[in-house]
Amino acid sequence: MPIGGGEAALIRRYFHTLTVQRHGVELGVGDDSALLDVDGEGRLAACCDTLVADVHFPADIPPEALGHRVLAVNLSDLAAVGATPSWVLLSLTLPEKDPAWLERFSDGFKTLADRFGVALVGGDTTHGPLSVSVTALGWVQGATGLRRSGARPGDGVWVTGTLGDAALGLALWQGRGSGVLSGDPAYLAGRLFRPEPRVAAGQALLGTASAAIDLSDGLATDLSRVLEESGVGATIQLEALPRSPAFIAEGGSEAQLLHGGDDYELCFTLPPLEEAALAHLRERVGVPMTRIGTIEATPGLRGEAGDGTVSALNPAGYDHFAGEA
Ligand code: ADP
Ligand code: MG
């Protein structure tokens, strides 16, 4: 089965072939960001991601969280190719003109943009069901950029941060009734609403990691994309999957670790010779990085339990057009 039979097949059928063969397109449709050689010195990275109310976020999300999130998910796609974010364009489709909402939304957007030194240089504003979209541009200096296709047998499989927090945060948020979340649930909701794009980690992995992707649709689905693009397989150790103290305290499940979306951590592969370099790099970046498995020649993704039992792991992440021909 191709990954994400619906959405991925749709893109392949109608848009992959639409690309003109043009000089300078180093990486086009199919990776986290495109990489464009525009001046021979560095590469321009470009991506765009849209968030639709009640599909990508609960409609009652705090507006500042939505402003943060729409930018963060795009900076995460730039991080996945190792780019430094520079410019963004913002498209808004709004059901009404609500100054208080717009104030809070733009605050959330601006605070994150300021932190990464990103300039808003354009966009579009229309009337309709709530949906927000960002196009982000960044630079990859002096290196070819990370991509999904470079994993080789023997490489380690690594992830930044912890997994499953956003999925558990969403479950707690949706089950909160009218109550406000505090303590561990608030941390988990923060991971959902205010993901931290791993920009410094992506930059640091340039020239070290053999492949990378950001985790938007769940580890099993996104890692399977790397495996498919690289023509390899992998076995991951289920007990090695990194869990936050809040995830453990609130009883997060293995399904949330493997299939929960929206973590926006990076998953990358690392040749054995680079492991020593990673120890330094990890300290410099200040983000935990955990080895969770090994790339193998046999295609497919497998999970090894604590008792040594190995079973196939099927991608079960969100697909917008799953089940449609
Ligand atoms: P991500 O989750 O990393 O944002 P997506 O799953 O949204 O990636 O998209 C997969 C790939 O398909 C990306 O390279 C994206 O740029 C490309 N893509 C998605 N939709 C279209 C489209 N309508 N036209 C051209 N390329 C597209
Ligand atoms: Mg991505």
Side-chain angles (χ1 to χ4, degrees), residues 27 31-35 42-47 74-86 116 137-148 197-214 266-268 281 285:
L27 192 59
D31 218 296
D32 293 291
S33 298
L35 287 172
R43 283 148 188 91
L44 185 67
C47 64
N74 280 278
L75 299 190
S76 177
D77 272 329
L78 290 182
V81 298
T84 305
S86 308
F116 284 94
L137 303 167
W139 279 110
V140 180
Q141 293 286 4
T144 53
L146 302 170
R147 54 198 72 204
R148 297 178 180 179
R198 300 302 192 187
V199 170
Q203 290 167 342
L205 289 168
L206 281 171
T208 303
S210 49
I213 190 168
D214 71 319
L266 295 182
C267 175
F268 59 96
L281 180 160
V285 172

Side-chain angles (χ1 to χ4, degrees), residues 75-131:
L75 299 190
S76 177
D77 272 329
L78 290 182
V81 298
T84 305
S86 308
W87 307 282
V88 289
L89 296 100
L90 170 65
S91 288
L92 292 176
T93 303
L94 302 171
E96 61 189 331
K97 189 174 133 197
D98 176 347
W101 190 94
L102 282 163
E103 192 69 44
R104 293 175 61 189
F105 173 87
S106 59
D107 254 15
F109 189 95
K110 185 176 183 308
T111 304
L112 187 65
D114 285 351
R115 266 183 52 211
F116 284 94
V118 171
L120 177 65
V121 294
D124 194 21
T125 305
T126 52
H127 185 224
L130 180 61
S131 154

